[in-house]
Every structure is written in C-alpha cells, then in structure tokens.
C-alpha cells in the first residue's frame, strides 16, 4: 500500500487501532490484498487530498467561480458533500496547528509531500481566514444535521471566505506580502527588517 493510502486510513481511523484494522479487513476483501489510494478513497467515501488543497487555494485567490465549479465537480462524481466538509475542517485544523506550532505535528498522518504542501499553503493564508473558515464549516455541519441543504450551505461558506480573503485593503495587502516573504525566506521577520535602519 502506498504511503498516501496508509495516511488516509490512519486519518479515517482517528487514532483507533481497531477501526484501522477493520478498514484493512474490508480492503482485503474488495482489492485482493493490493491496496491503492483510489480503493481507499472509494471505501471511505473521501475525496482526494488534492481537492482539499484546491479548495483552500481557490479561497486564497478569492476565486468564487472556481470554488463553485469545484463543488459541481464533486457532486457530478457522486461525492458526499457532508463528508467533504468534515474532511475540509480537518484540513483547516492542520493549517491552524501548523501556523501556531510552526511545524507539522508528527502525530498527523501525512506524507512528506503533503506536509510540504501544507506548509506552503499555511504561509499563503492568514490565521483569521482559517479560523473564519472553520467556524463557517462547523455551522454547515450543524445545519446539515438539521436537514438543511449541504450543497447550498457549502457554496455560501466558500463564497464568504473567498470574498473575505480577496479583501484589498492596505492592511490585508501588507499581510499577504509578509506571508509571501516568510515563505520565500523562512526564519526572517519582514516586520523587524522594516524597523532596522541598516536595511534602508
């Protein structure tokens, strides 16, 4: 089984060894003991990790059209939007942890490639947007349990976050520049350089 497939199984099991073994048992029956990432995704009803990264990228770019097209693609492929929202909240949690801990926690089931991609994404989105997104999606989950239309709620959440992220006030533009500088020069503090007379 490739590392990406194992990471998906570990994430779905959420720390439960028994649940992980149960997933392996089901896969052994349906795949003939040759586990692949697509087979894991089909069994768990999970979208590919790339869709989660794409969703955040679209929000960062303020691309509401792209976000709505992505939802349409998920629906056409038969994905459960409720499960997608739950997975997206987990992805945002990882971004939040990375932003505050400044490193990817070892306990998170991720491949090295995904960890690096997560780090790059964390440098491009501000903490407030991450928290706002988590709050909106948590409300989507709550409303869905009451019988509300999960697709409409998800679309509204994506539009709100994308519009918020595309705010072009001077303060938000400065924050974006600083995030880009941090991603290009890890360990340097752009704000401290501005106050250093020798750098002028």
């Amino acid at each position: 089984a490739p590392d990406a497939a194992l990471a998906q199984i570990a994430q779905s099991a959420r720390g439960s060894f028994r649940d992980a073994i149960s997933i392996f048992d089901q896969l052994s029956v349906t795949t003939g003991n040759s586990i692949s990432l697509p087979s894991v995704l089909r069994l768990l009803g999970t979208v590919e990790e790339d869709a989660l990264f794409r969703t955040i990228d679209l929000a960062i770019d303020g691309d509401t059209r792209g976000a709505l097209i992505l939802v349409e693609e998920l629906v056409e492929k038969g994905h459960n939007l409720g499960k997608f929202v739950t997975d997206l909240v987990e992805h945002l949690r990882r971004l939040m942890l990375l932003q505050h801990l400044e490193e990817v926690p070892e306990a998170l089931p991720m491949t090295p490639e995904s960890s690096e991609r997560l780090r790059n994404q964390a440098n491009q989105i501000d903490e407030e947007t991450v928290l706002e997104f988590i709050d909106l999606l948590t409300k989507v989950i709550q409303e869905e349990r009451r019988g509300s239309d999960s697709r409409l709620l998800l679309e509204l959440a994506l539009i709100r976050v994308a519009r918020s992220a595309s705010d072009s006030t001077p303060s938000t533009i400065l924050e974006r520049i600083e995030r880009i500088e941090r991603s290009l020069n890890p360990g340097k503090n752009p704000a401290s350089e501005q106050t250093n007379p020798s750098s002028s």
Side-chain angles (χ1 to χ4, degrees):
D3 289 344
L6 296 176
Q8 284 289 343
I9 293 171
Q11 180 179 335
S12 179
R14 296 185 179 277
S16 171
F17 183 75
R18 180 177 296 179
D19 288 351
I21 292 298
S22 176
I23 294 172
F24 274 116
D25 285 341
Q26 295 177 65
L27 287 168
S28 69
V29 173
T30 59
T31 66
N33 295 324
S34 179
I35 298 173
S36 64
L37 178 58
S39 65
V40 173
L41 296 176
R42 283 195 300 271
L43 176 67
L44 301 177
T46 305
V47 300
E48 290 190 41
E49 190 177 51
D50 183 64
L52 302 176
F53 279 106
R54 281 177 58 200
T55 303
I56 303 301
D57 286 338
L58 290 168
I60 292 173
D61 295 338
D63 187 352
T64 55
R65 180 177 182 276
L68 295 179
I69 290 176
L70 175 59
V71 174
E72 178 66 25
E73 291 176 355
L74 294 174
V75 172
E76 289 181 351
K77 293 178 180 179
H79 289 297
N80 184 317
L81 291 184
K83 182 67 168 62
F84 173 74
V85 171
T86 302
D87 291 341
L88 189 56
V89 170
E90 175 61 25
H91 183 83
L92 287 161
R93 171 179 171 267
R94 296 179 178 194
L95 286 172
M96 178 187 68
L97 291 174
L98 179 55
Q99 289 175 333
H100 287 271
L101 299 176
E102 298 184 354
E103 62 181 1
V104 180
E106 293 183 1
L108 292 181
M110 299 187 70
T111 63
E113 294 78 10
S114 296
S115 295
E116 183 61 26
R117 190 174 181 182
L118 187 74
R119 187 181 301 278
N120 292 334
Q121 198 166 69
N123 287 326
Q124 298 176 46
I125 186 170
D126 63 86
E127 296 176 10
E128 289 186 4
T129 300
V130 171
L131 295 177
E132 178 188 3
F133 210 166
I134 292 175
D135 183 58
L136 286 171
L137 293 179
T138 300
K139 292 177 180 176
V140 170
I141 294 173
Q142 293 172 346
E143 290 300 320
E144 182 190 26
R145 290 172 180 169
R146 298 189 181 101
S148 299
D149 184 351
S150 58
R151 176 171 181 172
L152 174 60
L153 294 171
L154 174 59
E155 290 172 339
L156 290 174
L158 290 173
I159 290 174
R160 288 173 183 170
V161 172
R163 285 181 175 176
S164 175
S166 64
D167 183 6
S168 58
T169 62
S171 61
T172 55
I173 293 176
L174 179 60
E175 288 176 2
R176 290 175 194 168
I177 293 174
E178 291 179 349
R179 288 200 302 274
I180 294 172
E181 290 180 347
R182 284 197 299 271
S183 65
L184 296 176
N185 302 290
K188 289 188 177 182
N189 187 339
S192 63
E193 290 184 357
Q194 292 177 359
T195 59
N196 187 346
S198 62
S199 64
S200 59

